[in-house]
Amino acid sequence: MNNYKKNSLSLVGAVSLGTGVMIGAGIFALLGQVADLAGEWFPVAFLVGAIISGFSAYTYIKMSNAYPSAGGIALYLKKAYGSSPLTAAASLLMAFSMVIGESLVARTFGSYTLQLFDVTNNGLWISVLGVLLLIVAFIINISGNKVIGQSSLMMAIIKIGGLAIFAIGGLWAAGFSLGEALPSSITGDHTITSYIGALAFTILAYKGFTTITNSGGEIINPHINVGRAIIISLVICTVVYLLVALAVSSNLSIAEIIKAKDYSLAEASKPAFGKYGLYFTVAIAIVATISGVIASTFAVSRMTAMLTEIELIPHKHFGMPGKLQKHMLVYTLVIAIVLTAFFDLSRIASLGAIFYLVMDIIVHWGVLKNLRKEVNANPWIILTAILLDVLVLGAFIWIKIKSDVLVIIVSVGLMLLIFAAEKWFLHSKNNEDEK
């Protein structure tokens, strides 16, 4: 891990990385998915998701203040559970959730880019464009922290400014009437379970803040700035998400949003701004998704490299030159390419939400049970975060059992496989160490 230098990432750079993952995967990739489950109340769902993520962030801020590290969540889990199969499995769930996020954003990049062209086989070109983006992100990541930080900062300014223009323009076109954006009452079109389940996608939209913890070994003054970067990123994204959601809701009906759920912002720009608005929105989406993939690729490679160094996952060089972190870039890139090429956006998002929520609960429980006094954490805040996660996860699983049970089967199967593989690996490693 020597190829990443201490104090090479500023507070602004860390915020850029966090918002890069969140905005790339959040408002562009997930707004339509949230609207599908929450109906006309989807802007409120983003606000509630921010509140739940705020409770969750409390645990990560406390842990990052005490144990800043390039391994982030992997280190937190090891502190809570030791070098156990649960530590390794939960860390891999987070890593896979991040790789899934890369694929989600990559396909979103393809969906928005194709709005500029008249093509017949959208599915094929979405996959092709998504894979090309992943390859570009890999090239940028092997260039080092300086290039990553500079590109992330520049893209963060462009996309946040662009989304602010989109949101204000969309609300202006609707006469700044919140009555147009929000319903006056709850209709019978969606159940309470559906509303709660929608929060799984909004939480996924905010989970990018956890990538900041994986850069704890590089951020300047990490005992303070990791927590600051998390808070700032969450606040920025909450404001951006809420404004954009209100603008979309003011210009499109729920049926129109759901129909174009993979590129709903581009669709919403048409009635408000015409074709030039479409070009502008697609350009912002391209910048946001590119920066999201770059930031996510950076974070997951750092985390998996740490897992390898602390001997929680196996590693093979396969004759590749270079250091460990670059090898992990290659491995995670291959997985992300496969997901991007063969899975649709909705299922990718569902897998990511389930993996993340399960991992999040495991982290909170470990801190609550074993580390709350050591990091001076309030147990009631952590317990609230656990209960909220369980409620949302339960509702989301119930929805998917009724609508797409394959997602649940694959999720459970992969989690069991990950745990069994880690248990076997650690058992084999311990036997070798004893010899």
Side-chain angles (χ1 to χ4, degrees), residues 137-415:
F138 169 79
I139 293 171
I140 292 175
N141 267 273
I142 62 176
S143 302
N145 269 16
K146 188 174 181 180
V147 174
I148 296 168
Q150 289 175 346
S151 63
S152 296
L153 176 58
M154 178 182 66
M155 290 183 177
I157 293 171
I158 292 172
K159 69 191 174 190
I160 292 173
L163 283 172
I165 293 171
F166 169 87
I168 294 171
L171 290 171
W172 173 79
F176 290 99
S177 173
L178 290 181
E180 295 289 330
L182 294 173
S184 58
S185 62
I186 297 177
T187 65
D189 297 336
H190 296 80
T191 65
I192 295 298
T193 304
S194 180
Y195 288 122
I196 297 173
L199 298 176
F201 284 136
T202 62
I203 292 171
L204 186 64
Y206 290 105
K207 85 170 181 69
F209 78 82
T210 60
T211 62
I212 298 170
T213 68
N214 299 326
S215 303
E218 290 76 48
I219 298 176
I220 297 170
N221 196 6
H223 291 279
I224 296 176
N225 281 340
V226 173
R228 285 178 177 173
I230 289 173
I231 294 170
I232 294 169
S233 297
L234 280 173
V235 170
I236 290 173
C237 288
T238 300
V239 173
V240 170
Y241 287 175
L242 190 57
L243 288 175
V244 171
L246 289 171
V248 172
S249 182
S250 298
N251 287 279
L252 292 179
S253 67
I254 291 301
E256 290 171 326
I257 295 172
I258 293 172
K259 183 179 179 181
K261 64 181 178 181
D262 291 351
Y263 50 90
S264 53
L265 267 69
E267 196 68 20
S269 68
K270 294 177 183 178
F273 308 109
K275 66 177 182 178
Y276 295 108
L278 172 65
Y279 299 153
F280 175 80
T281 304
V282 170
I284 297 302
I286 289 172
V287 171
T289 49
I290 289 173
S291 66
V293 170
I294 292 171
S296 184
T297 303
F298 169 80
V300 73
S301 65
R302 302 297 289 133
M303 182 176 183
T304 50
M306 171 64 83
L307 287 172
T308 304
E309 287 201 340
I310 60 180
E311 299 183 318
L312 287 178
I313 61 174
H315 176 67
K316 293 288 185 182
H317 289 268
F318 295 111
M320 287 189 294
K323 297 184 179 181
L324 176 62
Q325 189 268 340
K326 291 183 180 178
H327 299 173
M328 304 316 294
L329 275 172
V330 174
Y331 302 149
T332 54
L333 175 72
V334 171
I335 297 171
I337 286 175
V338 171
L339 288 171
T340 302
F342 298 107
F343 288 84
D344 66 62
L345 195 148
S346 180
R347 281 180 167 169
I348 291 174
S350 297
L351 284 172
I354 293 170
F355 280 12
Y356 174 73
L357 285 168
V358 171
M359 181 283 306
D360 201 44
I361 292 167
I362 293 172
V363 170
H364 292 318
W365 178 251
V367 174
L368 179 65
K369 184 180 179 183
N370 301 318
L371 296 172
R372 68 179 186 275
K373 293 181 180 178
E374 192 172 332
V375 300
N376 193 29
N378 186 319
W380 292 108
I381 296 177
I382 300 176
L383 184 60
T384 301
I386 293 173
L387 293 176
L388 289 171
D389 275 355
V390 170
L391 177 64
V392 173
L393 179 61
F396 188 71
I397 289 174
W398 179 249
I399 290 169
K400 288 300 172 181
I401 287 174
K402 294 192 295 183
S403 63
D404 191 2
V405 72
L406 180 62
V407 167
I408 304 302
I409 293 172
V410 171
S411 299
V412 174
L414 286 175
M415 284 189 283

